[in-house]
Amino acid sequence: MEMVGDGIGAASGEIWKRQRKFTLTTFRNLGVRQASFESMIITECHEIIKEITHNANDTFSPKMIFPKATANVMCSFVFGRRYNYTDEEFQFLVKSIDRIEQSRNGIGTLPIFKYLPTRGKLQLRKDLTALSQFIDNIIEEHKNTFDPENPQDYIDIFIKEIQSSGDGLLTNRNLRGTVTLLLFAGVNSTSKQLRRAIYCMLRYPDVQMTVQAELDKVIGRERMPIMSDKESFPFTMATLLEIQRFGSTARFGPLHLASCDVELCGYRIPKGSLLMPNLWAVHHDPKIWSDPEEFKPERFIARDGKVTRPAELIPFSIGRRTCPGESMAKIRVFIFFTHLLHRFTFIYPEGAEPLPCVDGAKPIPDFLATAIPRS
């Protein structure tokens, strides 16, 4: 049985297999995990630093800054365009993605909610329509300037594949659906994780100090971290893993479809059932993690001092439908996090309301942070 949908996120069967294989291959061909992609992210790091230092008293809202940077990385990668943060078209894109996320949170995650009269449905439809039109315009621009001998970005390569493959599995509708998913997931997931990272550094300043001490010891103060330094930062990497476990940026994984009748743990799951993995429950299961409600990066450091990653850590979901942008997201978060902590110490602003204590699977509310430049 196949679910037919637009883009890699909604498709199933052969259509999904074809899109996933194409997307992963294109990511490699466009240089993910290579210096060019890292340089793209570092450019946005510099812009974030400018944004922070231009704010009064270096106090800023992570919710306002991080989506701009993560959106620009995805725009550069997907359709070959980097925007100034003040650009009206860019601001429309970032705000649309944020409103869609807020509407989705208000409606609920389970499929049954689409049949219920929940708040936000009308606004969600409007924002999805506007975002689709924005992406259609970008795709149309690419078609008008398309050079099959010199594709520049993900959209160009997708258009070339549509024209050359002839198998009918890659279509214009699938192009729009996949680009929508890449923008939406790429912006939201990374910006949420960075917000969670700053929140944890404010709440656990001793961890922040240990990360900064490790960065200084390994690379000093004369240069910024790069991806090839990663293996030399065991505590920093363990901290990033703990942020992923502790916060579970995605509380639930993508929907799966049972392809046959099956029994699991005494429950009968009929063919055609929709299944949704509960990532937060796995990450906070006391049978797997000791003191799961405590923030302890050291849980990911083995006796030999190296980083260990248990199979139960699944922030990008599990199974064949794991996030295709996982490797891209890891690079973005590593570069942003290490650059910011190398440059600043983050504290909670004096005189502000107490830092909200987020328990359970609730998302972090908006908060302010003060960035103190490090000498």
Side-chain angles (χ1 to χ4, degrees), residues 172-313:
N172 288 318
R173 287 173 63 91
N174 286 331
L175 170 57
R176 182 177 69 181
T178 299
V179 168
T180 302
L181 177 67
L182 291 177
L183 287 176
F184 187 79
V187 173
N188 267 326
S189 62
T190 302
S191 59
K192 281 183 180 179
Q193 192 167 338
L194 290 170
R195 282 181 65 208
R196 176 74 66 168
I198 297 301
Y199 172 86
C200 290
M201 296 305 97
L202 297 179
R203 189 171 174 185
Y204 306 101
D206 55 327
V207 173
Q208 179 175 199
M209 290 177 60
T210 305
V211 169
Q212 291 172 325
E214 182 175 71
L215 296 176
D216 292 348
K217 179 180 178 181
V218 174
I219 64 170
R221 304 295 305 150
E222 301 303 319
R223 71 172 178 88
M224 301 296 276
I226 55 178
M227 284 302 298
S228 58
D229 296 320
K230 184 175 67 172
E231 300 302 321
S232 301
F233 298 149
F235 188 83
T236 301
M237 296 306 299
T239 299
L240 288 174
L241 294 179
E242 179 67 343
I243 290 168
Q244 292 176 347
R245 183 204 68 82
F246 188 72
S248 288
T249 302
R251 288 168 284 174
F252 297 96
L255 288 171
H256 291 63
L257 187 73
S259 58
C260 61
D261 293 341
V262 66
E263 185 172 311
L264 179 66
C265 299
Y267 293 92
R268 178 180 174 275
I269 302 175
K271 178 181 178 180
S273 298
L274 290 175
L275 307 174
M276 181 183 293
N278 188 334
L279 309 183
W280 186 90
V282 175
H283 290 160
H284 290 260
D285 187 343
K287 296 178 181 178
I288 300 172
W289 314 95
S290 63
D291 303 318
E293 301 308 317
E294 293 187 17
F295 188 81
K296 300 195 301 184
E298 57 271 18
R299 71 172 82 243
F300 293 105
I301 299 180
R303 291 182 178 179
D304 61 2
K306 296 182 179 180
V307 176
T308 179
R309 183 182 178 125
E312 294 85 358
L313 183 66

Side-chain angles (χ1 to χ4, degrees), residues 44-46 48-49 52 60 65-66 194 198 208 212 215 224-225 334-346 371-372 374:
E44 297 308 322
C45 280
H46 293 161
I48 287 181
I49 291 171
I52 291 174
F60 68 102
I65 287 182
F66 291 144
L194 290 170
I198 297 301
Q208 179 175 199
Q212 291 172 325
L215 296 176
M224 301 296 276
F334 173 83
I335 294 295
F336 283 129
F337 181 71
T338 56
H339 277 232
L340 289 173
L341 263 69
H342 190 269
R343 182 67 181 269
F344 300 108
T345 294
F346 296 96
I372 300 176
R374 303 182 67 218

